[in-house]
């Protein structure tokens, strides 16, 4: 008689919810907007965002959290005040912003599998 291995370990596999096509399209659109904004800032060195442009400000604040952009608030006298990520995420609409490359020396590269950088919904913790 042969020896039969018996295991009492039961695997509990997480079943990923199937996202709706509309949700997937919206996520891809947001991701392409983030890439386009970052490409524009890196190509020109800096970019001014209008005070009332809330969508661009929210996109920029997401990129700032991960160090891809620096955000400065433009004062009425033309002076600049650097915003912390906690301030920028509120996307205040009173003053325009200046977006620029971060101050460190090397260029930032984005890996091809960057879902975790831009979307937290549906990611395992």
């Amino acid at each position: 008689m042969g020896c039969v291995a018996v295991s009492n370990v039961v695997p509990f596999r997480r079943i990923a919810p199937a996202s709706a096509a509309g949700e997937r399209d919206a996520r891809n659109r947001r991701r392409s907007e983030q890439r386009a904004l970052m490409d524009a800032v890196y190509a020109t060195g800096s970019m001014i965002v209008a005070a009332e442009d809330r969508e661009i400000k929210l996109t920029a604040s997401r990129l700032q959290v991960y160090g891809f952009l620096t955000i400065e608030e433009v004062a009425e006298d033309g002076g600049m005040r650097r915003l912390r990520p906690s301030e920028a995420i509120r996307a205040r609409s009173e003053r325009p912003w200046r977006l620029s490359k971060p101050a460190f020396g090397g260029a930032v590269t984005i890996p091809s599998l960057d879902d975790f950088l831009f979307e937290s919904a549906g990611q395992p913790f």
Side-chain angles (χ1 to χ4, degrees):
M1 296 232 157
C3 181
V4 178
V6 178
S7 175
N8 62 355
V9 177
V10 178
F12 290 96
R13 292 186 177 87
R14 183 181 284 174
I15 299 173
S19 61
E23 181 181 324
R24 187 173 36 245
D25 292 341
R27 184 178 17 224
N28 289 338
R29 188 179 73 255
R30 282 191 305 269
R31 195 171 298 130
S32 68
E33 289 170 358
Q34 291 167 345
R35 285 180 187 268
L37 177 61
M38 199 167 80
D39 288 345
V41 171
Y42 275 56
T44 60
S46 68
M47 178 178 168
I48 300 293
V49 178
E52 62 278 351
D53 197 347
R54 184 169 173 78
E55 292 300 317
I56 296 292
K57 286 183 172 185
L58 286 173
T59 302
S61 64
R62 287 186 199 113
L63 292 170
Q64 183 195 26
V65 167
Y66 293 104
F68 294 125
L69 295 177
T70 300
I71 299 175
E72 297 171 307
E73 187 176 54
V74 180
E76 291 177 7
D77 64 353
M80 303 283 183
R81 182 178 74 88
R82 189 170 178 176
L83 297 178
R84 296 186 311 259
S86 60
E87 293 174 312
I89 200 71
R90 293 187 210 124
R92 296 176 14 173
S93 62
E94 294 125 19
R95 296 202 170 96
W97 285 2
R98 179 177 177 256
L99 309 178
S100 59
K101 293 187 217 181
F104 55 86
V108 174
T109 59
I110 301 176
S112 60
L113 300 173
D114 59 358
D115 295 345
F116 70 95
L117 290 177
F118 299 105
E119 297 296 328
S120 61
Q123 298 294 322
F125 291 101

